[in-house]
Amino acid sequence: MHAPIKTVLGFALAGALQALAPCYAAQADAPVSAAKAALLPGDDFFAYANGNWLATTQIPADRGSWSSMAQLAEDTNQRIIKLIEAVQGDKHAGAEARKVSDYYLAFMNEAAIEAKGVEPLRPALKKIGAIADKTELTRMLAATVRADVDPLNATEFHTENIFGLWVAQGLNDPKRNMPYLLQGGLGLPDRVYYLEDNERMHKLRTAYQAHIAAMFKLAGYSDPETRAARVFELERKLALTHASREDSADVMKANNTWTVADFSQKAPGMDWKLFLKYAGLGKQQSFILWHPSAVVGVAALVKECSLDAWKDFLAFHAINTSAGHLPQAYTEQHFDFYGRTLGGTPQMAVRWKRALAAVNDGMPDAVGKLYVSTYFPPEAKAKLQHMVSNIVQAFHVRIDKLDWMAPATRKEAHAKLDALYVGVGYPDKFTSYGPLAVKADDAHGNAERASRLHYQQQLAKLHQPVDSKEWCMPPQLVNAVNMPMQNALNFPAAILQPPFFDPKGPDALNYGAIGSVIGHEISHSFDDTGSQFDSQGRLRDWWTPSDAAHFKTASGALVAQYSAYKPFADLPINGQLTLSENLSDLAGLAASYDAFKAANPQADDRDFFLGYAQSWRGLAREQSLRRQVMTDGHAPSKWRTYTVRNLDAWYKAFNVQPGQQLYLAPEQRVRVW
């Protein structure tokens, strides 16, 4: 599912502004209120299933959105904090657990952070200020590259660094790890924020430029407004070279292999050998450029733009990305723009929540080890593995029934299912933090060292065999993922608990909630992106022309269906941008229903569909919802619930009739897998 269903082709289950949040108690909204009695499931199934929750729930002041999954994540975090606090008084705690505790304590030591001021950042700012020519600029730009993107497993395309690095097996050679370069350098979420010509975007751009100036002023820079204007104009020029979010999701457009020589020939204007050397990539002979236009654009802008503009750009982003580990004035300014203005969130999260987020970012697997040692029961793993087997079998059966699929294509589809790796709970191997120096009085330094260690560990993978069972998310994350190149699924421990999943709970609710997630993740192997990878994870066309044409036609119908939804009068859902997730919602729900009925032929279908709809309980503030619609590959939760209108069984279960708003004639219902 893409946070990260697809955050996570990463495919994580939830996007940045909403979460997949199944509610185990499907009967919670069962009592029929007067308002609900007047509301037919066929008119608005989301409101019908979730009416009481929607009427009685408020978004917390420190959130841009809220859901029952967000509540589950909140409960999980409370557990983790108690584990971290227990380490502090445990003389027998291991070295890694103590590092987790010290990392957390350093962030919580607000007095020490205030006393240091911006001094922890001064060495970096001094180096930037001393840049004297484009050669030194190139070295400095290279030194900012970090492994903070993941286009397939987490649909994470954004980085404030000039480029983001992703290390993974090759698109065309699954037995070899490759370096992928992705576009970066923008402080706003996406190129559309710089380029769209409307009043709302003009106001956001003005606010962003004011934010840049405010950060410069806090750090003691002269003439902050002039510097802010230079930074914004450079970012605007970068945005012009960036690929759109829709193009970023197209793997075929990302499959661009460049040699070292290609950089100088295709992207003149910068010393690429020097850049790659200082980025730690000097020994690499070939790269995959996810966004070649941005690479060309950066080189041209290094040559074109003034040294002062680039120095201001580097200084601002150094401050901006460090704001959370600097004194409160920096943190407040950062939140004021990104939280209040962009996200519509009234209040910053309390410090312990931000401290835990910092530890999860810097030492995710170490925190995960603490969590699973206490909170992951074996029976949860066994029950989920059984459900996965049933839903995989349902996919096998559905594939055999596809009258449009040629035998050769069907054979490879079965092979993908047979080769699927399903990770449940936690990985076989955890990341080691032995080399990481953690100091209980150095919040900023801990974050910097953790980021550099992660980068070095990712670079090291370029000289190691591909690990087909490597995880891309830690056990304490309430999420799930399909990794198309590895042909693998991850179901972290934190999602395998009520209200999302109860190993002792009824099948109707478990299959409606976690079952639809399992089906969603499996089906990512066959969505518009996953279907381009074979059973070995190689980017290969294994479809016959007629099969591909049928799939494209059916997918086009789903694009049209979702493009007709309008969360706002001036902002419809982008059916193409959300296609992968919508395909997986549809196929996953259908396969989970089949598996449920195979195991429970006499069970009531209503509970299954209510369990699904209640798994998408969610509320979002206007700013957050708008940002999601513009940039997220997931449709907002309400419209994801509407997937049910494509399943015949839903009509029968709730007596949905022509004339009701969600009714589709049988021939209009989208059927793919």
Side-chain angles (χ1 to χ4, degrees):
M1 67 179 123
H2 279 0
I5 291 184
K6 191 174 163 189
T7 98
V8 176
L9 248 90
F11 304 121
L13 197 54
L17 299 170
Q18 68 150 29
L20 173 65
C23 180
Y24 170 70
Q27 298 303 319
D29 278 337
V32 180
S33 64
K36 186 171 178 179
L39 179 64
L40 296 173
D43 284 329
D44 187 346
F45 192 56
F46 177 78
Y48 175 84
N50 299 306
N52 292 344
W53 185 88
L54 293 169
T56 59
T57 301
Q58 292 186 341
I59 302 172
D62 63 349
R63 300 288 189 122
S65 61
W66 190 246
S67 63
S68 51
M69 179 176 241
Q71 181 64 63
L72 176 56
E74 182 90 353
D75 295 343
T76 299
N77 287 341
Q78 293 277 5
R79 291 176 172 181
I80 293 172
I81 285 299
K82 292 180 180 178
L83 293 174
I84 293 175
E85 290 174 344
V87 170
Q88 296 165 18
D90 184 359
K91 296 180 180 180
H92 303 290
E96 190 170 86
R98 289 198 175 280
K99 287 184 179 182
V100 170
S101 176
D102 286 346
Y103 203 117
Y104 176 80
L105 287 173
F107 195 101
M108 289 299 291
N109 192 346
E110 189 171 3
I113 293 172
E114 292 292 333
K116 290 181 179 181
V118 77
E119 288 308 307
L121 199 56
R122 285 294 179 205
L125 297 178
K126 186 175 180 180
K127 287 181 181 179
I128 292 168
I131 294 173
D133 54 36
K134 295 296 177 71
T135 297
E136 292 180 7
L137 171 64
T138 299
R139 291 195 193 104
M140 192 63 68
L141 286 170
T144 70
V145 177
R146 290 291 182 269
D148 55 357
V149 291
D150 182 341
L152 276 182
N153 299 327
T155 53
E156 180 54 71
F157 297 100
H158 184 268
T159 173
E160 285 191 52
N161 298 313
I162 196 66
F163 295 119
L165 175 73
W166 183 51
V167 178
Q169 64 195 65
L171 290 171
N172 310 300
D173 183 2
K175 298 194 178 296
R176 175 187 170 199
N177 282 318
M178 289 285 291
Y180 294 74
L181 285 180
L182 276 72
Q183 64 195 18
L186 304 184
L188 288 170
D190 186 79
R191 70 192 296 270
V192 298
Y193 284 78
Y194 297 84
L195 307 179
E196 256 191 22
D197 186 15
N198 59 55
E199 183 180 358
R200 182 174 179 275
M201 286 302 188
H202 283 297
K203 289 181 178 178
L204 284 176
R205 289 193 283 268
T206 299
Y208 177 53
Q209 196 162 323
H211 165 66
I212 299 172
M215 283 300 206
F216 275 126
K217 187 175 181 180
L218 283 171
Y221 279 79
S222 63
D223 204 0
E225 288 78 14
T226 299
R227 293 177 188 273
R230 280 199 293 253
V231 172
F232 180 82
E233 180 58 18
L234 178 50
E235 289 189 22
R236 188 190 67 81
K237 290 178 178 178
L238 283 171
L240 288 169
T241 74
H242 277 205
S244 67
R245 182 61 178 74
E246 296 91 324
D247 284 347
S248 292
D250 189 335
V251 179
M252 297 308 296
K253 293 181 179 179
N255 189 17
N256 308 287
T257 301
W258 282 24
T259 65
V260 175
D262 286 330
F263 281 87
S264 297
Q265 294 171 8
K266 298 179 179 180
M270 187 163 74
D271 185 340
W272 283 107
K273 287 188 177 180
L274 185 68
F275 180 92
L276 295 173
K277 175 184 176 181
Y278 279 86
L281 296 164
K283 295 182 179 180
Q284 293 301 307
Q285 299 302 309
S286 60
F287 301 77
I288 296 180
L289 271 60
W290 204 274
H291 298 117
S293 64
V295 173
V296 174
V298 166
L301 290 172
V302 164
K303 182 178 181 180
E304 168 195 331
C305 294
S306 71
L307 206 57
D308 284 342
W310 277 110
K311 289 163 71 173
D312 287 338
F313 169 88
L314 285 167
F316 164 68
H317 286 289
I319 301 165
N320 202 46
T321 55
S322 299
H325 298 88
L326 293 175
Q328 188 71 5
Y330 293 85
T331 306
E332 284 281 2
Q333 174 56 45
H334 190 275
F335 175 77
D336 187 60
F337 177 70
Y338 289 99
R340 293 189 181 95
T341 301
L342 272 184
T345 307
Q347 182 177 306
M348 189 189 307
V350 295
R351 193 162 194 90
W352 75 261
K353 293 183 181 181
R354 290 181 279 132
L356 180 56
V359 184
N360 273 325
D361 186 54
M363 302 182 67
D365 274 20
V367 177
K369 273 201 278 188
L370 284 175
Y371 178 78
V372 299
S373 66
T374 305
Y375 289 111
F376 186 56
E379 61 266 26
K381 184 167 186 172
K383 178 65 176 285
L384 191 89
Q385 288 173 326
H386 180 68
M387 291 182 69
V388 170
S389 296
N390 289 348
I391 296 171
V392 167
Q393 180 57 33
F395 268 99
H396 277 300
V397 172
R398 293 184 76 85
I399 288 169
D400 280 335
K401 291 181 178 179
L402 294 175
D403 56 7
W404 55 267
M405 183 171 278
T409 309
R410 182 178 288 111
K411 181 179 179 181
E412 184 60 33
H414 283 305
K416 286 198 74 170
L417 290 173
D418 290 336
L420 188 69
Y421 164 73
V422 181
V424 177
Y426 52 88
D428 295 336
K429 293 186 295 184
F430 284 98
T431 299
S432 171
Y433 299 95
L436 179 61
V438 176
K439 301 178 182 179
D441 62 349
D442 188 13
H444 179 270
N446 292 339
E448 282 293 304
R449 289 186 291 272
S451 177
R452 286 198 299 268
L453 174 62
H454 176 65
Y455 187 62
Q456 293 302 320
Q457 289 172 333
Q458 293 301 302
L459 290 177
K461 286 167 55 178
L462 294 170
H463 311 288
Q464 298 168 354
V466 170
D467 181 359
S468 61
K469 295 182 179 181
E470 180 183 9
W471 279 48
C472 74
M473 48 177 56
Q476 72 275 25
L477 186 65
V478 182
N479 214 324
V481 65
N482 176 302
M483 298 177 286
M485 290 197 295
Q486 293 172 235
N487 193 26
L489 310 180
N490 294 165
F491 295 98
I495 199 172
L496 306 178
Q497 57 180 321
F500 204 20
F501 168 64
D502 186 344
K504 298 179 181 179
D507 279 357
L509 302 181
N510 276 333
Y511 275 94
I514 195 69
S516 66
V517 175
I518 295 168
H520 175 108
E521 297 307 334
I522 294 171
S523 64
H524 267 308
S525 296
F526 304 104
D527 68 8
D528 59 320
T529 300
S531 62
Q532 298 176 89
F533 293 87
D534 65 18
S535 58
Q536 302 304 308
R538 181 180 286 103
L539 188 63
R540 179 174 71 85
D541 185 4
W542 49 276
W543 296 62
T544 67
S546 60
D547 290 342
H550 178 94
F551 183 77
K552 185 175 182 180
T553 299
S555 298
L558 201 59
V559 170
Q561 186 178 111
Y562 272 81
S563 295
Y565 297 138
K566 287 189 173 184
F568 302 98
D570 63 333
L571 186 62
I573 291 174
N574 185 330
Q576 186 62 49
L577 174 62
T578 58
L579 177 59
S580 291
E581 298 305 320
N582 297 334
L583 281 169
S584 291
D585 280 347
L586 175 56
L589 181 63
S592 183
Y593 174 79
D594 288 353
F596 163 63
K597 295 306 289 184
N600 305 271
Q602 304 304 318
D604 186 354
D605 289 357
R606 291 171 60 91
D607 283 348
F608 172 86
F609 286 110
L610 285 171
Y612 174 72
Q614 291 177 1
S615 77
W616 288 109
R617 289 175 165 174
L619 293 167
R621 302 184 193 279
E622 179 180 345
Q623 295 95 320
S624 292
L625 184 58
R626 282 182 174 274
R627 179 173 174 177
Q628 181 185 352
V629 174
M630 288 190 293
T631 65
D632 200 332
H634 304 79
S637 56
K638 174 180 177 178
W639 292 274
R640 293 186 78 163
T641 299
Y642 292 170
T643 299
V644 296
R645 66 198 300 231
N646 294 298
L647 273 67
D648 295 342
W650 175 72
Y651 289 81
K652 183 178 180 181
F654 291 95
N655 191 31
V656 179
Q657 298 295 322
Q660 295 174 6
Q661 293 182 31
L662 294 180
Y663 180 85
L664 289 172
E667 66 274 12
Q668 295 177 317
R669 298 168 196 170
V670 179
R671 310 174 197 274
V672 184
W673 289 99

